[in-house]
Amino acid sequence: MAAPRPNSGAAAFVHAPTPTGLYGWSDETEDEEARALMASADDANGQGASTGPLPEEAEGEVGVLFVHNVMAFCQLNCEIDLDAACRALGNSVYNPEEFHSVRVDVRCRTNCVASINIFSNGKMLGTGANTVEELRRTMKKIARRLQRHPLTRYKVSMTRFRVSNILGSYAYPYPISLHTLAAQRDLHVDYEPERFPGARVKISIPKASDAIPDEKNAEKAARGGAWTSQGSSHRPQGAGGKDEIVTLQLFSTGNVTLTGGRSLESTAYALQCVLPFLQMCQVVNGTS
């Protein structure tokens, strides 16, 4: 039996019970892909110099909406042999007894690790990146890697990229009185301190055909939340598709967690709808 080839990939191998595909990406392939990515970035920016790693944001900074995780999926338009795909990719794990997908961990330019799951029906799920463009770039990198290996008789192409969830956080500069917030008549708040210490608010995002209200009308739009009948009154009749709802979890310390948005604009819009109510319920010098 031939001795296994040493792992020459840049990233460490993720251990799993009896995985296949123990070989990392070669240095030659990594350098080639890095040059191609830098060349495409230079063409997009119209500059001759290559772009370096992106600056790291200050997590937890007061008054800044910080994105922690982006989840998206796409189609490869062909069936994938998962065992062959695991051998073609480096830093990958495939254990069909636990989960029927190949998981690949890729380090992004924004100092985060994106986890890509490839399924046999051609679907690819990505999570772990903190920007939409970085996750799209990482999934394209995996698709290009699969194109170089004859996994199927059909051409592998990445299409139908869609963001399904964005996880963000916001640090309000003052503590919040959740009891005062729950007593607001113009905002539907789900607050049960016996079950969960935070308050929950759901904001319905207008459809793409509707104009997103400006800052003056944001408070009015927040009154028709996802739990009220007013939340769908501004939508056109016959609008198809699943409604986009952003859920905000607010804590007395001023920390806000946002989930459910499909774009950064939708997440920022939901936060903009709730900020006027937080200003009315903030605690300054022990008084609200």
Side-chain angles (χ1 to χ4, degrees):
M1 182 176 179
R5 186 175 58 182
N7 186 0
S8 59
F13 171 69
V14 179
H15 295 281
T18 62
T20 59
L22 304 181
Y23 309 133
W25 291 354
S26 62
D27 297 335
E28 180 181 357
T29 303
E30 285 291 330
D31 295 340
E32 182 181 352
E33 291 183 353
R35 288 193 297 268
L37 290 173
M38 288 189 294
S40 60
D42 295 340
D43 295 339
N45 298 332
Q47 301 176 356
S50 60
T51 57
L54 299 179
E56 185 177 0
E57 298 183 16
E59 182 177 355
E61 185 177 353
V62 176
V64 177
L65 178 60
F66 184 82
V67 177
H68 295 269
N69 183 29
V70 178
M71 179 182 296
F73 59 92
C74 67
Q75 292 282 352
L76 297 177
N77 299 314
C78 66
E79 295 185 355
I80 302 296
D81 185 356
L82 297 183
D83 190 69
C86 187
R87 291 190 175 93
L89 298 172
N91 197 30
S92 58
V93 174
Y94 175 48
N95 188 5
E97 296 180 358
E98 292 186 358
F99 196 61
H100 291 278
S101 71
V102 175
R103 189 183 79 248
V104 188
D105 294 334
V106 181
R107 181 167 295 277
C108 304
R109 296 186 302 169
T110 54
N111 298 327
C112 61
V113 178
S115 180
I116 310 298
N117 287 273
I118 306 171
F119 298 89
S120 59
N121 59 358
K123 290 185 178 181
M124 187 162 56
L125 173 67
T127 182
N130 49 20
T131 62
V132 176
E133 293 301 326
E134 191 64 25
L135 184 59
R136 187 199 305 268
R137 168 186 167 274
T138 303
M139 297 176 75
K140 284 184 178 180
K141 182 178 180 180
I142 298 297
R144 286 196 302 267
R145 178 69 175 176
L146 294 176
Q147 287 177 356
R148 300 178 182 178
H149 295 268
L151 302 179
T152 60
R153 60 179 180 177
Y154 303 102
K155 182 179 179 180
V156 178
S157 60
M158 174 179 162
T159 58
R160 300 179 184 178
F161 177 85
R162 291 185 58 187
V163 177
S164 59
N165 184 34
I166 293 180
L167 171 63
S169 65
Y170 179 83
Y172 193 71
Y174 299 99
I176 303 172
S177 175
L178 297 182
H179 293 280
T180 306
L181 182 65
Q184 297 292 325
R185 295 184 177 181
D186 296 334
L187 183 67
H188 189 94
V189 181
D190 182 13
Y191 179 51
E192 298 181 11
E194 297 83 4
R195 301 180 59 184
F196 187 70
R200 187 175 61 173
V201 178
K202 291 186 177 182
I203 301 297
S204 297
I205 306 300
K207 296 291 185 179
S209 57
D210 299 338
I212 294 182
D214 53 10
E215 185 175 357
K216 295 181 180 179
N217 298 328
E219 181 178 353
K220 182 179 179 181
R223 298 175 183 175
W227 284 305
T228 62
S229 59
Q230 300 175 359
S232 58
S233 60
H234 62 278
R235 295 189 181 89
Q237 295 292 334
K242 189 176 180 180
D243 294 340
E244 182 179 3
I245 298 176
V246 178
T247 303
L248 298 91
Q249 293 182 350
L250 306 100
F251 299 91
S252 59
T253 57
N255 295 329
V256 181
T257 303
L258 304 95
T259 58
R262 302 172 193 167
S263 65
L264 186 59
E265 291 77 11
S266 300
T267 305
Y269 167 74
L271 180 62
Q272 180 183 352
C273 293
V274 178
L275 279 180
F277 298 96
L278 299 184
Q279 295 175 359
M280 293 185 294
C281 303
Q282 66 184 16
V283 179
V284 181
N285 297 328
T287 59
S288 58

